[in-house]
Amino acid sequence: MKFDTYIPCDILKPFIKSFAISEAAEENSYRVLPDTGIVIGFQYKGSLSQLVNDSESPLSVSGVTGLMDSYRIFKNSANIGTVLIFFRAGGAAKFFRHPVHELFQQSLSLDNFMLSSELVVLEEQLYEAGTDSNRIAAVEKFLISRMRQVEPDQLVLAAITLIQHTRGNIRIKALCERLNISQSPLEKRFRQYVGASPKKFASIIRLKYALESYQPLISLTDLGYHSGFYDQAHFIKEFKTFTGETPEQYLKGE
């Protein structure tokens, strides 16, 4: 299996965290955990499906996956090749006219958001590209052509920074007070720009921090406490929703 990452060009860096080329020779099912940015995928060979309750749903060759607050399971065909675009939190709003909260918990075909003719041209370029660098260059050119002349929402960006700085441990009331805005307009702007509510976004940040900070010598009780969970039952419940397993199962293989 191959998973090579690439840094975007300077003009795209404020909006895109990274690109990746993923290839696999064998059919496989795998779990994807929630993250803070929207993801676009282009299959230049093979196919991809999502598994839900033992039901397999084929996905489009060109698709976009919104923010989610629980894990998902995907299944790839043999000999699959995919170009992935990992957006920064709020970064996709530069390229989508639709409010990105419409993508929450969804994996949809990109032709719901742009002309099919545009996608066909890019899909052919990716299929015919002889090298990974050519594929990345084609995707970058496509994204640059779709950049909208809109200014970033500085208030929402400030909210993202505060949530990240506190590792997701900030109450929405306190967030609104820090930003001098009432809750309803903040939540509306945040959802449209980021793709989820501030509370959902903070929950993702908090659980990502718990996973990243785990060490074998740390007790799971201490892990939950240091991640901002003062109720162990609440920690276990949210962790299982996030990963599909309890902390003991996921972190210690029990």
Side-chain angles (χ1 to χ4, degrees):
M1 182 173 178
K2 178 174 82 171
F3 192 89
D4 296 336
T5 58
Y6 297 81
I7 298 171
C9 62
D10 288 345
I11 193 172
L12 293 174
K13 280 182 181 178
F15 315 104
I16 294 170
K17 183 164 50 176
S18 64
F19 298 108
I21 301 288
S22 176
E23 293 186 352
E26 299 180 356
E27 181 180 277
N28 186 42
S29 298
Y30 57 94
R31 187 180 311 181
V32 175
L33 302 186
D35 208 340
T36 55
I38 286 169
V39 179
I40 287 178
F42 299 99
Q43 272 77 57
Y44 54 88
K45 61 178 179 178
S47 59
L48 187 67
S49 300
Q50 184 175 354
L51 303 181
V52 180
N53 298 325
D54 298 323
S55 177
E56 186 173 335
S57 300
L59 298 177
S60 172
V61 170
S62 301
V64 54
T65 296
L67 269 66
M68 49 188 176
D69 60 3
S70 60
Y71 73 97
R72 295 184 194 176
I73 298 177
F74 294 94
K75 180 180 179 182
N76 64 263
S77 69
N79 298 314
I80 191 172
T82 308
V83 181
L84 294 164
I85 305 167
F86 296 97
F87 288 92
R88 297 186 185 278
K94 185 71 173 179
F95 307 88
F96 287 85
R97 295 185 181 277
H98 296 73
V100 294
H101 70 271
E102 295 178 3
L103 291 167
F104 185 69
Q105 296 282 56
Q106 300 288 324
S107 289
L108 302 174
S109 173
L110 268 179
D111 61 16
N112 287 291
F113 305 96
M114 56 192 69
L115 294 175
S116 297
S117 57
E118 294 178 306
L119 290 174
V120 168
V121 172
L122 177 59
E123 289 167 1
E124 289 178 351
Q125 290 174 342
L126 296 177
Y127 176 77
E128 295 172 356
T131 65
D132 290 344
S133 59
N134 286 344
R135 293 187 180 97
I136 296 299
V139 169
E140 287 192 319
K141 183 178 179 181
F142 172 77
L143 287 170
I144 291 170
S145 72
R146 292 197 57 81
M147 292 178 72
R148 301 167 59 219
Q149 297 300 315
V150 293
E151 292 298 320
D153 190 324
Q154 296 299 330
L155 185 136
V156 173
L157 292 178
I160 291 170
T161 299
L162 282 170
I163 293 171
Q164 292 173 333
H165 181 72
T166 60
R167 299 167 180 163
N169 288 298
I170 184 169
R171 294 186 180 277
I172 302 306
K173 182 179 179 181
L175 184 64
C176 293
E177 290 173 351
R178 291 283 298 272
L179 298 171
N180 193 30
I181 187 173
S182 59
Q183 183 170 335
S184 180
L186 173 63
E187 290 188 340
K188 181 178 180 180
R189 287 167 64 174
F190 197 98
R191 285 197 306 268
Q192 290 178 338
Y193 195 79
V194 176
S197 70
K199 185 176 181 179
K200 289 288 186 185
F201 185 80
S203 176
I204 294 169
I205 292 287
R206 184 162 55 165
L207 283 159
K208 280 174 61 66
Y209 172 73
L211 290 175
E212 292 165 0
S213 60
Y214 172 71
Q215 296 178 8
L217 296 178
I218 297 177
S219 73
L220 296 179
T221 299
D222 287 342
L223 177 65
Y225 177 79
H226 290 301
S227 301
F229 295 90
Y230 301 105
D231 181 331
Q232 190 68 4
H234 185 210
F235 173 53
I236 293 171
K237 181 181 179 180
E238 287 208 16
F239 193 99
K240 189 170 183 179
T241 298
F242 194 83
T243 66
E245 297 179 318
T246 66
E248 290 84 358
Q249 293 169 330
Y250 188 89
L251 298 171
K252 296 190 174 182
E254 296 181 4

